[in-house]
């Protein structure tokens, strides 16, 4: 904990009270939450920083895409536009945000949209023809104006929400009680060989409600790196030095993975969702071989020549019980269909 955060400790009770009061006003109906007669699935977290929301959204897309006509709705963090916007594959990250553009480039047959006002975004999505049958809300756990039908709460293995406190000293956007709204809690970025004993220990710490389900996932790195025009095996560059560029909340898992493979690389780290300056871009162009994250690739690919820039694909990998997770989602969709 840095010095400034320690200095701001007296503000924590005030922040806690404000967020607690806001949640209670929604819980008691004093503030209005919109509910919907079609499936709305929200993926989010209690803490600031990366918990793996984008890989989870992509997992849900792969799970549901051949069953329902899908839409994703994101805020479009750091975009330079306002209001509702349907994302096209030809858009720029500056127009729509890096993660929504990543979704659209990878899954062109679904609707991808951005709107900071999720209620307005949902209304606009449902006015389209054809309209989406299921909407996935990206990073909308605290957006209480919308009441999703199903909540998936993510918490990182190395930074569990139960071990944290609210801002500004801690990293929580709201108190730990906010986890009670979740249908499913997923501990992300776990070691691949997480023991049963460790899983049980975390389950006790999280103290789930009787109606909640807990799952554990790790990061699965693709065997190939990808550029605009080709793919190549990560093992084919064991003897080739490269520059690793990251602008994500926590690059440590990727660094550890590449180190474990014995790769030779220089790491240049930027803040999460970093907007690269012209000077930075010109400097990056001097590097002969760059590997970056998929999110960063979306922002960099229009500036750095093909052949120099590659990205490392990642996916969610369940430590255990992937079929049970899938079944919970499908049961929610089936129940939603039967209730209409």
């Amino acid at each position: 904990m840095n010095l400034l955060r320690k200095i701001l400790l007296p503000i924590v009770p005030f922040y806690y009270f404000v967020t607690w009061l806001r949640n209670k006003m929604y819980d008691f109906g004093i503030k209005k939450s919109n509910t919907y007669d079609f499936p709305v699935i929200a993926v989010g977290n209690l803490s600031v920083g990366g918990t793996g929301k984008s890989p989870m959204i992509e997992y849900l897309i792969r799970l549901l895409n051949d069953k329902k006509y899908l839409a994703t709705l994101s805020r479009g963090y750091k975009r330079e536009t306002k209001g509702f916007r349907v994302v096209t594959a030809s858009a720029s990250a500056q127009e729509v945000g890096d993660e929504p553009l990543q979704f659209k480039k990878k899954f062109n047959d679904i609707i991808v949209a951005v709107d900071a006002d999720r209620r307005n975004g949902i209304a606009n999505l449902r006015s389209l023809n054809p309209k989406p049958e299921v909407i996935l809300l990206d990073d909308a756990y605290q957006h209480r104006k919308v009441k999703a039908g199903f909540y998936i709460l993510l918490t990182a293995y190395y930074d569990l929400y139960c071990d944290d406190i609210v801002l500004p000293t801690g990293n929580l956007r709201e108190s730990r009680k906010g986890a009670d709204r979740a249908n499913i809690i997923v501990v992300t970025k776990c070691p691949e060989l997480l023991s049963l004993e460790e899983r049980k220990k975390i389950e006790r710490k999280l103290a789930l409600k009787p109606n909640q389900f807990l799952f554990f996932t790790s990061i699965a790195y693709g065997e190939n790196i990808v550029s605009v025009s080709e793919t190549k095996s990560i093992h084919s560059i064991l003897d080739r030095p490269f520059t690793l560029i990251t602008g994500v909340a926590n690059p440590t898992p990727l660094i550890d993975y590449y180190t474990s493979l014995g790769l030779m690389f220089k790491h240049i780290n930027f803040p999460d969702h970093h907007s690269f300056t012209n000077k930075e871009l010109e400097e990056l162009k001097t590097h002969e071989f760059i590997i970056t994250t998929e999110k960063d690739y979306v922002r960099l690919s229009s500036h750095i020549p093909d052949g120099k820039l590659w990205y490392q694909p990642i996916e969610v990998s369940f430590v255990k019980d992937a079929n049970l997770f899938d079944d919970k989602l499908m049961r929610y969709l089936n129940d939603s269909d039967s209730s209409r």
Side-chain angles (χ1 to χ4, degrees):
M1 187 186 300
N2 62 37
L3 179 59
L4 178 58
R5 287 200 165 199
K6 291 180 179 179
I7 292 173
L8 293 175
L9 183 60
I11 301 176
V12 166
F14 175 75
Y15 184 93
Y16 179 98
F17 175 75
V18 169
T19 55
W20 173 85
L21 181 62
R22 175 181 179 272
N23 279 328
K24 287 301 179 184
M25 291 178 75
Y26 279 107
D27 292 342
F28 294 140
I30 300 170
K31 282 182 172 286
K32 180 176 172 55
S33 295
N34 278 29
T35 57
Y36 301 92
D37 62 354
F38 57 90
V40 177
I41 301 170
V43 176
N45 49 23
L46 294 184
S47 62
V48 297
T51 55
K53 294 184 294 294
S54 293
M56 179 55 70
I57 289 287
E58 291 186 2
Y59 181 91
L60 297 177
I61 293 171
R62 293 187 182 95
L63 174 66
L64 304 176
N65 199 17
D66 63 345
K67 303 173 181 67
K68 297 287 184 178
Y69 187 40
L70 294 179
T72 68
L73 180 60
S74 308
R75 174 175 47 161
Y77 183 61
K78 283 199 172 182
R79 65 185 172 119
E80 297 173 359
T81 57
K82 302 291 184 182
F84 177 78
R85 193 179 185 102
V86 174
V87 177
T88 63
S90 61
S92 69
Q94 290 74 28
E95 293 173 314
V96 298
D98 49 18
E99 288 164 339
L101 184 57
Q102 175 182 321
F103 298 153
K104 187 61 181 179
K105 285 181 176 291
K106 188 175 289 187
F107 306 101
N108 194 45
D109 56 339
I110 72 166
I111 305 170
V112 177
V114 292
D115 197 332
D117 183 342
R118 306 306 202 284
R119 186 159 55 188
N120 182 69
I122 291 173
N124 277 283
L125 282 170
R126 291 287 286 183
S127 70
L128 299 176
N129 187 20
K131 61 187 176 184
E133 299 172 290
V134 178
I135 295 178
L136 306 178
L137 299 181
D138 176 30
D139 196 14
Y141 200 80
Q142 284 78 35
H143 202 92
R144 298 295 305 272
K145 290 182 180 179
V146 166
K147 185 176 182 181
F150 199 91
Y151 284 94
I152 300 173
L153 177 64
L154 310 182
T155 184
Y157 170 79
Y158 54 81
D159 191 21
L160 298 172
Y161 64 78
C162 59
D163 296 329
D164 207 348
I165 61 173
V166 298
L167 293 162
T169 299
N171 287 317
L172 298 186
R173 299 169 175 178
E174 59 176 301
S175 80
R176 294 169 240 175
K177 283 289 292 180
D180 292 351
R181 300 195 301 276
N183 299 90
I184 281 176
I185 296 173
V186 182
V187 180
T188 63
K189 304 185 180 182
C190 298
E192 289 184 30
L193 301 177
L194 188 66
S195 68
L196 175 60
E197 181 182 356
E198 180 70 6
R199 296 200 304 268
K200 291 292 185 183
K201 178 181 176 182
I202 292 173
E203 185 172 3
R204 289 191 295 270
K205 289 179 66 175
L206 293 177
L208 273 64
K209 299 297 180 183
N211 62 329
Q212 293 180 316
F213 295 87
L214 179 64
F215 296 90
F216 298 85
T217 64
S218 61
I219 298 171
Y221 293 100
E223 293 185 0
N224 296 320
I225 54 173
V226 182
S227 73
V228 170
S229 57
E230 61 178 311
T231 64
K232 65 171 62 180
S233 168
I234 191 69
H235 299 285
S236 70
I237 62 167
L238 286 174
D239 298 322
R240 181 173 183 180
F242 64 90
T243 304
L244 175 64
I245 305 295
T246 59
V248 295
N250 180 21
T252 302
L254 180 56
I255 294 168
D256 290 346
Y257 173 65
Y258 279 176
T259 301
S260 72
L261 294 178
L263 299 178
M264 298 179 292
F265 62 94
K266 172 187 176 184
H267 179 218
I268 302 177
N269 190 37
F270 293 94
D272 195 17
H273 297 279
H274 180 66
S275 297
F276 295 94
T277 66
N278 289 333
K279 181 179 179 180
E280 289 167 342
L281 291 170
E282 289 303 314
E283 195 280 328
L284 291 179
K285 289 178 185 177
T286 66
H287 296 259
E288 289 301 314
F289 188 27
I290 298 172
I291 301 179
T292 189
T293 69
E294 193 167 1
K295 183 169 71 172
D296 294 312
Y297 183 85
V298 166
R299 283 177 279 125
L300 290 170
S301 59
S302 60
H303 302 284
I304 297 178
D306 184 26
K308 282 192 172 186
L309 184 68
W310 304 72
Y311 72 84
Q312 172 65 63
I314 65 170
E315 292 184 8
V316 166
S317 176
F318 280 79
V319 174
K320 194 175 183 295
D321 295 330
N323 290 339
L324 179 59
F325 178 90
D326 296 353
D327 180 67
K328 297 298 178 187
L329 264 294
M330 295 311 304
R331 186 170 299 182
Y332 162 65
L333 294 188
N334 293 335
D335 289 346
S336 296
D337 288 342
S338 63
S339 64
R340 283 187 281 172

